[in-house]
Structure formats: structure tokens, C-alpha cells
Amino acid sequence: MDRRSILRSVSFCCFVFSSLFLAIFASTTFATVPRRAVGPTAVQDPIDCNTLTSPVVGFETSRGQSAADAIDFLTDLELDGFGVGTVDITAGPIPNCVDVLIVRGLAGNLALTSPYTSAEGAALQTWVSQGNGLLVAGEWGLLKEGTEALFQAFGYSQIGTDDAYITDPTDNDPTAPGFVGDGWVYFQTDNFAAHPIFDGANTLELLLSGWLAASPDTIVTADADASPASVQVLAAGNEGSGCVLFAADSNWFAIYNEGYLREDNAQIARQSVGWLNTCNFLSLVKTAVPNPVQPGELITYTLTTTNFEPTTQTNVI
């Protein structure tokens, strides 16, 4: 066999071997790469009321927010039985199947692309009062301006300057990144008001948190040795037939710095949405003890929360 024939044979063998190698590589590599399911039920997709069943949670995205910022939280809500997807409140009315709306005060880990307006706050206030739930997570310093109009529409307000966030020398996370030291604050059962979102939970961790103006709806307050001392960080209340939950931190249920995975944050976040979805079916019954009350006696009132199902009435005049 001459030299040319030998080279031809070697080239042919190399070609066959390379083709076989590429075929095996393609079949083994690309076939085993896990692919994320897509479709109307994926938490990063816009809400489609024709495909989602109640209850439905919407994640607001009109200011650059992405469902990817809170992907673990939203995926867990799907596991809890919620239909989950995204909503852009500037694109039209909130879809009528949405029961709870989540508004996060950061886009990624940065400022929102523009602040919410007072008109948008008023529109959300009307929407909630019709029997829906709203969770708004704000921020500290200048970042708080992104969501302040929403806070104010419901009678709340964020305080603090650009370099001010809550610190606590005795109740902070030792495993958190050190560049903010004691600004990764623990809020524990002695900081909690009695509220369903804390059932079975012991510790909430807020990350570089601002604080709220004093409110009778406060459900989490900082320690007396925190700086600032005894300020409010979470508030929850009724608004017409619906309910709201306002927080002074946006990272406590996000993937950034693993806020959602810290302490009991995941449990509290999931229970928050559960409460917002059902709070319009809650009523408070006030009972005086002793009963009947005698003149001059010290009276203690017990408040009992009752969860009831709505009833359908027909032919009511």
C-alpha cells in the first residue's frame, strides 16, 4: 500500500472515530441535562387565569423585579397548593384570579427601576379592600423610596436615612457576611405579637433592615438594646375585606444572601401568604372576664379568632 493510500485510510478512520465520539457525547451529555418545566404554571410566567386554579399568588414585576429573586419562596408556595405567576400592574388590571399579590422593594439586589406612585398605591388599596391580600417588602435608606407610596397608601411609613439600618449587638447572626456585622438581626418570640404567621416559628432574620413608623398594627418590634431601640419592622392589618402585611426588609424571603433560608424565614413567609389568603374569613370575638361584669370589678378581655367559611345566599331580599 502506497503512502497516499495509508493516509487515506488513517483519515477515514479518524473521521469515523470523531463522528462516533460526537454522537456518543451528544446523546449522553444533552440528554441528561435537567430542564426546567415551562408553561402557565411555572412561577416565572405571567399569570393566566384560564390555567391557574384558586388560590393564586402574583409576584409583581413592573419595577424590574424578577420572580427569580424569590424563586425558592414562590416554588414553595406552589407546593403549598397556590397557583403562582408574575403580574405587571402597569400592563392593566390585576388578573381577577389573583388572591394575594407580593411586591418586593428591590430589583435583584438593587434599587427599583422607578418608584411606585401614589395613584398605584390608591389602586392597590382599592384592590385589597375588595377582599384580597397584599405583601409589601420595603427597604432601608434611599432604597425605601421605591415602595414608600405603597406604604403610605395603607397608613404606614418607612423611616431611616441612607446609612441607617437596625443593628443589635446581642441578637445578630454570627454566620452572616461580616461587612455589616450586627445588621443581620434576629427577631425572636419576645419580639413577636400574637399572630398566625408566627405559629410554630421562633426566629425571623431581617437583613440590613429599615424600620416603620409606629403603628397599632405592628407585629414585630426590635429589642430595647437595638439601635434604634424598640422600633417596628413588620405590621399586619385589615383593609376593608382584605388584609396587608408590610415589612421593612426585602431580602428576608429572597435568594440574595440566602435570606429565605435563614432561621424560620421560610416558614414565616409561607404562613404570611396563607394568612393573607384567608384573613377575610377571620373574625374576632371579644369576651369579658368575669362575665357578667359587676360594678367596680377589674375586667379582662379575651380575644378569640374564629376562622369561618363564606356561605352562599340566594334569593335574599
Side-chain angles (χ1 to χ4, degrees), residues 168 171-174 184-188 191 203-205 263:
D168 190 322
D171 264 328
N172 60 79
D173 187 348
W184 302 65
V185 176
Y186 287 149
F187 299 87
Q188 296 167 311
N191 304 109
T203 306
L204 170 70
E205 182 174 347
E263 299 306 315

Side-chain angles (χ1 to χ4, degrees), residues 228-242:
S230 305
V231 290
Q232 294 79 25
V233 292
L234 258 71
N238 294 91
E239 185 68 33
S241 298

Side-chain angles (χ1 to χ4, degrees), residues 36-113:
R36 175 182 171 272
V38 293
T41 60
V43 300
Q44 299 188 69
D45 294 342
I47 283 176
D48 180 354
C49 291
N50 294 317
T51 58
L52 293 179
T53 55
S54 183
V56 174
V57 175
F59 186 85
E60 219 286 292
T61 59
S62 71
R63 296 312 198 273
Q65 306 100 320
S66 167
D69 300 339
I71 192 71
D72 293 339
F73 178 27
L74 300 179
T75 301
D76 279 347
L77 292 178
E78 272 199 326
L79 296 175
D80 290 341
F82 289 95
V84 183
T86 61
V87 173
D88 180 341
I89 66 169
T90 65
I94 296 172
N96 58 15
C97 62
V98 174
D99 300 290
V100 177
L101 185 69
I102 298 172
V103 180
R104 186 168 178 265
L106 290 175
N109 208 25
L110 302 172
L112 299 181
T113 54

Side-chain angles (χ1 to χ4, degrees), residues 272-298:
S272 295
V273 173
W275 173 73
L276 288 168
N277 180 55
T278 59
C279 68
N280 54 329
F281 302 141
L282 296 177
S283 64
L284 286 176
V285 178
K286 184 168 72 172
T287 306
V289 181
N291 193 1
V293 177
Q294 301 300 321
E297 286 186 310
L298 178 65

Side-chain angles (χ1 to χ4, degrees), residues 3 16 28 36 52 89-90 130-131 143 157-158 172 218 223 226-227 238 240 247 255 264 268 275 291 298:
R3 185 174 173 187
V16 171
T28 56
R36 175 182 171 272
L52 293 179
I89 66 169
T90 65
Q130 294 169 348
L143 294 173
S157 185
Q158 303 168 91
N172 60 79
T218 296
D223 286 345
S227 178
N238 294 91
I255 62 170
D264 296 321
I268 293 170
W275 173 73
N291 193 1
L298 178 65

